[in-house]
Amino acid sequence: MADERIRIDFDGAIATMTVTRPEKLNAFDIDMLKALASACDRVEADRDVRVVILTGEGKAFSAGGDIKAWGGMEPAAFGHDWVRLGHRVFERLATLRMPVIAALNGHALGGGLELAAAADIRIAEKQVKIGLPETGLGMVPGWSGTQRLVARFGAQIVRRMVLGGEMFSAEEARAEGLIDAVTETGMVMPAARDYAAQIAKRGPAALEISKLMIASASGEDRGAAVEALGSILVAKTGDLKEGVAAFSEKREARFKGDW
């Protein structure tokens, strides 16, 4: 049975994924991580979807990982079953074929900020606070806080959050490049939908390829991005069609260099 704490709503070209565990400030446990991965698979399989909005229910976007879910784990299980799983799931989100907008309706802390960082665009309400408080608990960011965040926002701002424990308001985060836009309280979803509608008007193939090119240029997922772009190009060639036909017909291929 699907985990209802990750809800998907479809509206034409826009899919909205909502984390619905407000009583725990939308903190994640293992089942929710797996549900988020399944939600990514579902929206990516729908060719009508051109943009995804990711948000939370209630007062928080996400407080990150539920301490009760990982606090009692043995070190090996913590590393393999928690940290590596979170990495795989957030990478799945970051590499969706379509653009993702994180609509920060509330605070994004620790894993919640790492979740938001996996999106392409971040819009936050003015009361939102963001930060990486893990070292205050004696642990380190584990879901790409020292990796993807450094690649996207720069090392110094991440040092301030991780080493100094600094928290930023939405406006401060926007000034530092962590957030792309700030709205009034209660207005982040209309703003996200407007931006999503703007994206959805653009060429979906161009959006997908541009996202891959940007990932490659920024050093994120470079190998996979290059191979995906090459495969898309080759898949459109006459040579590939000839190669597949020759294999099926058990004959030698007669390539003509057809693009």
Side-chain angles (χ1 to χ4, degrees):
M1 182 177 178
D3 193 322
E4 296 180 353
R5 293 174 298 176
I6 305 293
R7 187 179 72 238
I8 310 174
D9 298 293
F10 294 93
D11 182 12
I14 301 171
T16 300
M17 297 195 300
T18 306
V19 185
T20 61
R21 198 188 184 195
E23 73 281 4
K24 292 289 187 178
L25 301 179
N26 297 324
F28 276 75
D29 59 22
I30 286 177
D31 287 340
M32 290 172 69
L33 287 171
K34 293 177 179 177
L36 179 59
S38 296
C40 289
D41 291 342
R42 184 178 170 193
V43 298
E44 191 155 70
D46 190 330
R47 299 306 298 183
D48 291 331
V49 175
R50 297 187 180 184
V51 59
V52 172
I53 298 172
L54 175 68
T55 193
E57 183 178 283
K59 297 180 179 180
F61 174 74
S62 176
D66 186 345
I67 294 177
K68 290 185 177 179
W70 59 261
M73 287 184 172
E74 294 296 324
F78 180 66
H80 290 279
D81 301 335
W82 181 258
V83 174
R84 294 185 68 180
L85 174 62
H87 258 268
R88 290 195 299 271
V89 174
F90 285 15
E91 186 70 10
R92 182 73 183 92
L93 176 66
T95 56
L96 281 174
R97 62 174 172 80
M98 68 285 285
V100 179
I101 300 169
L104 276 61
N105 54 298
H107 301 336
L109 303 173
L113 178 55
E114 291 165 322
L115 177 67
D120 300 287
I121 302 292
R122 280 156 294 282
I123 304 173
E125 294 183 358
K126 65 179 184 180
Q127 80 280 4
V128 164
K129 300 287 187 183
I130 71 169
L132 295 169
E134 287 91 340
T135 54
L137 296 173
M139 64 175 295
V140 298
W143 289 343
S144 74
T146 62
Q147 305 302 306
R148 180 175 291 109
L149 269 70
V150 168
R152 294 195 171 186
F153 308 127
Q156 192 58 31
I157 192 67
V158 176
R159 285 189 181 100
R160 290 171 63 187
M161 289 188 288
V162 175
L163 305 182
E166 291 189 46
M167 293 278 184
F168 295 98
S169 69
E171 286 291 355
E172 289 169 337
R174 185 190 60 79
E176 296 289 349
L178 297 163
I179 298 297
D180 298 294
V182 178
T183 75
E184 293 296 317
T185 299
M187 296 302 296
V188 73
M189 283 305 295
R193 291 190 189 100
D194 286 347
Y195 202 93
Q198 180 179 328
I199 291 174
K201 293 177 182 177
R202 311 182 81 80
L207 288 172
E208 181 175 353
I209 290 171
S210 295
K211 182 169 176 174
L212 286 167
M213 292 168 67
I214 293 167
S216 179
S218 64
E220 296 181 40
D221 197 34
R222 179 169 291 170
V226 170
E227 290 184 355
L229 288 169
S231 297
I232 290 169
L233 177 61
V234 169
K236 296 180 180 294
T237 65
D239 275 357
L240 178 60
K241 293 180 177 65
E242 167 59 17
V244 172
F247 178 82
S248 300
E249 297 165 11
K250 296 181 173 56
R251 61 173 173 81
E252 186 175 346
R254 298 184 290 273
F255 294 122
K256 299 178 181 179
D258 290 341
W259 287 73

